[in-house]
Amino acid sequence: MKTILSILLIAIATTVTAQPIDREAVVRRNNPHITSLDTLASLTVGNGGFAFTVDATGLQSFPKMYSQGVPLGTMSDWGWHSFDNPNAYRPEEALKAYDFGRGKTEFYATQFKEAGRQHGSSEWYRANPHRMHLGAVGLELDPQLVTDVNQTLDLWTGMIDSHFTYGGHRYHVQTACHPERDMIATRIVSKGKKTITLTFPYPTGKHSDDACDWDEWERNITSFEGMGNTCTDTLKRILDGQSRFDKADYFVALHWDEGHRSYVNLKGNTPLWNHQHFSIADADSAVAFTCEFFQEKDPSRPVLTFDEVMAASAKYWKDYWTKGGITDFSACTDPRAKELERRVILSQYLLAVNDGGDTPPQETGLTYNSWFGKFHLEMTWWHMAQFALWGHPAILEHALDWYLTVMPVAKDIAHRQGFDGVRWMKMTDPSGTEAPSKVGSFLIWQQPHPIYLAELLYRVSDSQGKQRLINKYGKMVDQTALFMKSFATYDHENDRYTLRGCIPAQETLRADSTVNPPFELSYWHFAMEIAQQWRTRQGQDRLPEWDELINRISPLAFRDSLYLAAETAPQTYSDIRFTSDHMAVLGAVGILPSTPQADPAIMKKTLDWVLEKWNWDKTWGWDFPMTAMCAARLGEPQKAIDALLMPQRTNTYLPNGHNYQDGRLRCYLPGNGGLLTAVAMMCAGWDGEDKHNPGFPDDGSWDVKWEGLSPLP
């Protein structure tokens, strides 16, 4: 009888355990809910390559008010602009020669302090091209009179539902984005006045801002193209009087649902103006419209209604949440679990909205501009690796395809410095042009990223998909590794390969005095071995010279049983310059699997020192998940949780899910991506680790349920 009872209990327990997660419940219980005009609580709809961020009215009614919070951006992968170049600066004028002891002169695109053409060229190419704001769609309201805000982003359908009171009338605004077209749809219900405004800022070209110059009119022209049909208005945007970088001229089409018409309030009765007001005559009824931004007219493009966009959005997001990975923290007893689940769900949404386009994303996504709107390739792994782990490999593949298009540019960079293969730039734009930088041009840890990301795609693909990926990315992997081999310097005296003449991920170190940064050493070892495997998958032999590098690359330098920030930094633990910024040494075991270069015992002591004594007020959002991944691989799950949820300013997650850094970076998507990568690893583990939830404490307090996650290497 006891045996039968035991079998029944096991069967019941197995049945309970096997119950699928109620994904809709998990997602919707984390819907952001906003109750005020909170400038740090803006909400976004988007499709990965286009995003539209709104205030508490459900539209972009107060762009100036929100400019120093989470700005109300309308941005796309294709929306770029360049200022005139009246001095005819040339890219080669921003190059400077360096000798890093490799027996040749190397030319780097850097910044020059002294006035002159080199300074002018480096500043111009650093700021141009820059991403631009495509236009703000809002309601003409006084923010001081908006009350009783009740706004929710329904993550399951991608729809923002906004209620507020204005002028004694209740307003209800619904907003969504089409999953494939750069189009938003809005319905406004109120008996109050509904004056819809469409305003177009001129680009600022500044380092970090909302990309809105509201004072420039002369070079900021909008032409009324007329009506495509009885319910559609088409506008043409003309910047600087002619097309600029990548077709900066573009079109905007507003389609009003049947029964509603607008009239355009033309300033001075001219067909050219800079500030548009669309007024709705039916003050007592609902009004619905769509607004689409596009580069070229296409008469065959079907007109879509509000209901059609809403339906497309709902289908897309249901598929996204249903087919990808999911985590459920409801059975956890640790009081921090609810907040971790909120961060995970909102990060999944934000990264799909901001990072799912055809180019690598910028660090603030499509929300507002940082670093002139350009993207940083050393951050690509932090943004994009999680898509493979969370069951959305196609989104990662979109961005990885961009590397294929700019390989000729990357090859030119390697060639001008005397290296083989392709050298991936740090700070760039869709063209792949390297932006001059006193730091970025010397970074190397972005170099192995395409190999790692291609490998993640390979691991989650079926046999047919694997072969397709080998055919597609094989050359890119090979050329990336060719550079890595030629960049490493052979040390004859010690019979080893070293890395020098670079700034490591911990950017407080200098290129001219840094040798053998630990994360980069381990990354070279890991990526070169993966590249060899890709050669064999293509039916090619392993290259003996690559194996020589793998076998003879330097071990990680340490002192007093602590790993150093670089072999040339013996003062690591006594100089604040080496204990600030990123604790990149932990990435050598965490982001990467443990290699023969790292001793687990020394890394554990290094982890403990970092947790206790690092200058955590000088860190960035992805430092916390990087630390958590290191702790997890070293068998320290409690430390992993503590690192992931450490109460620090740069580990703050706003009500909308954005990872807040400081007054300049109110959004920082590498933090969100790092969080998802760490959680996937802590749940699904890594190669050689078969324990369930290996990154969470096994004491009953972190009973995390999950589906559809993949392990790290």
Side-chain angles (χ1 to χ4, degrees), residues 36 87 335 396 418:
S36 66
N87 295 311
L396 167 56

Side-chain angles (χ1 to χ4, degrees), residues 304-318:
L304 299 180
T305 65
F306 168 84
D307 287 337
E308 289 171 328
V309 175
M310 282 291 179
S313 174
K315 181 182 185 304
Y316 172 82
W317 285 106
K318 181 179 179 180

